[in-house]
Amino acid sequence: MIVSLPCTIAEPELDRLREAVEAAGAQTRVERTAGATLLVCLGGEAPLRKVREVCWPDGAVIVPVPAQYPLAAHAPGRSGRLLLPGPVPLEVGGTDLVIAAGPCSVESLPALRSVAAAVAGSGAAMLRGGAFKPRTSPYAFTGLGAAGLEMLGQVRADTGLATVSEVMDPRQVELMLPHVDVFQVGTRNMQNFALLAELGRTRRPVLLKRGFASTVEELLMAAEHVMARGNAAVMLCERGVRAHETFTRNTLDVGAVAVLKRETHLPVLVDPSHAAGRSDLVAALSLAAVAAGCDGLLVEVHHDPPNALSDGAQSLTPAEFDDLMARVAAVARAVGRRVAQPHLRAELAA
Ligand code: PEP
Ligand code: MN
């Protein structure tokens, strides 16, 4: 439950209400939005009902939100705009779509540099690349670890691209903070609650991928785990769920994008690469995602896909990515959006 109060409410009156709600058994959070002051009650409806009878400020209105995710739920006045702290200011969840692109895994500095320059030239705003890789087989390439993070940090300094990279374990958080602008939580870790709590203690944006067998409601509750610890900077990512189909690696749930845009103010990104599992389908899924209302894409791009150390089959070449970006821009225009292109070189923008 949320109590929406006039912005003009006096502090002592807000404090009185807050104390009364807490004494009745709920935890509270105060949020100041453009049009209202919100008192968010974490702990269901009962405490509010009790308080309503004894102390109720003028103009206070109850806004019902799901009790399982009151911080992540869509509520009047809550803004989905999130400012990323990278080298160049970047807003996610506004009119502009934000595109993150790069290799599945960071493999070497020269390779990362060349892909980063290419995707920035095509209009990507963020560089993706895993240094810690969750792999189904323990004998597959598991990432360069700390050395990979250093490479991400260097390329971020060279290009101005914000970096997004997967964190698998709470013990990796400190190590990643200097190099990574967005912590990616992978599909296999969506319900790693110790990891979500640790990320909640940072103030660094989190890109939370949907578990491949999780419901949309479970995704929203996972986001709430991060937000409940104090980190409101969460972006959600639909990346395909496991179904009976075998032509695609996963089944992209386009409906989930539309549902999430209604249920939450949090930005919603889509990863067409892991949904498709094959590069020839990535463009179609990307365009569908943009048409469905996503706020950005996470696309795997590799300089030499046949020889990639992970996920080569679904990786686009830089040329294919460039072509995709032109088509994404066209669909974005059709649905009243634009692609944020903070690094696009002037001669390419013309
Ligand atoms: C990835 O982005 O490379 C990745 C491992 O994604 P997911 O967790 O969605 O499988
Ligand atoms: Mn991958």
Side-chain angles (χ1 to χ4, degrees):
M1 288 289 144
I2 294 177
V3 185
S4 173
L5 300 148
C7 303
T8 49
I9 186 166
E11 277 309 310
E13 201 176 6
L14 178 61
D15 288 345
R16 260 199 308 281
L17 179 65
R18 190 175 185 173
E19 281 157 22
V21 173
E22 291 192 354
Q27 288 183 355
T28 61
R29 296 286 165 81
V30 174
E31 268 177 51
R32 296 184 198 276
T33 70
T37 296
L38 304 181
L39 183 71
V40 187
C41 306
L42 315 174
E45 214 175 316
L48 265 192
R49 256 196 261 114
K50 274 196 236 166
V51 169
R52 211 171 171 170
E53 278 141 39
V54 287
C55 132
W56 201 244
D58 282 346
V61 176
I62 291 187
V63 180
V65 288
Q68 303 91 325
Y69 50 90
L71 297 169
H74 191 68
R78 268 188 182 154
S79 164
R81 288 162 194 255
L82 199 95
L83 208 58
L84 296 189
V88 176
L90 188 62
E91 190 185 73
V92 188
T95 307
D96 292 2
L97 302 179
V98 169
I99 313 295
C104 178
S105 306
V106 175
E107 297 181 7
S108 74
L109 188 56
L112 191 65
R113 274 206 173 112
S114 98
V115 167
V119 299
S122 299
M126 286 199 277
L127 175 66
R128 63 146 291 149
F132 299 108
K133 295 303 300 179
R135 302 308 300 276
T136 304
S137 163
Y139 308 116
F141 176 62
T142 53
L144 297 180
L149 294 175
E150 292 285 339
M151 292 173 195
L152 279 169
Q154 276 198 33
V155 174
R156 175 230 232 172
D158 295 348
T159 59
L161 285 163
T163 54
V164 50
S165 194
E166 178 161 354
V167 58
M168 290 165 57
D169 186 304
R171 290 168 295 187
Q172 293 162 350
V173 169
E174 278 299 310
L175 195 64
M176 294 179 75
L177 276 170
H179 309 292
V180 169
D181 298 304
V182 176
F183 283 116
Q184 177 178 324
V185 176
T187 193
R188 294 160 187 83
N189 276 308
M190 188 200 86
Q191 289 186 318
N192 179 340
F193 298 120
L195 178 62
L196 299 178
E198 188 61 28
L199 296 172
R201 283 188 275 272
T202 74
R203 293 296 176 268
R204 194 63 54 90
V206 174
L207 178 65
L208 179 61
K209 287 189 151 194
R210 179 182 181 185
F212 58 75
S214 298
T215 64
V216 168
E217 191 178 44
E218 286 163 345
L219 172 60
L220 289 165
M221 286 191 272
E224 189 83 11
H225 271 268
V226 178
M227 300 176 86
R229 302 281 173 161
N231 186 357
V234 180
M235 298 174 266
L236 305 173
C237 183
E238 162 61 33
R239 47 78 71 203
V241 290
R242 183 164 284 180
H244 52 272
E245 183 50 61
T246 53
F247 274 116
T248 47
R249 183 176 176 184
N250 292 280
T251 294
L252 182 68
D253 186 356
V254 179
V257 178
V259 168
L260 285 167
K261 291 305 294 176
R262 288 193 174 267
E263 280 297 312
T264 178
H265 60 289
L266 300 175
V268 178
L269 273 66
V270 167
D271 172 350
S273 305
H274 291 84
R278 38 191 270 199
S279 59
D280 62 333
L281 301 179
V282 168
L285 300 190
S286 301
L287 302 181
V290 172
C294 75
D295 298 300
L297 299 170
L298 183 72
V299 184
E300 286 187 342
V301 180
H302 194 277
H303 65 290
D304 180 17
N307 291 306
L309 296 181
S310 59
D311 286 348
Q314 67 200 30
S315 297
L316 302 184
T317 61
E320 287 167 341
F321 178 71
D322 195 56
D323 182 55
L324 170 66
M325 288 296 278
R327 298 170 69 192
V328 163
V331 175
R333 267 196 301 280
V335 294
R337 312 285 292 265
R338 290 187 315 186
V339 178
Q341 299 186 317
H343 307 282
L344 193 59
R345 293 192 299 272
E347 70 269 22
L348 291 171

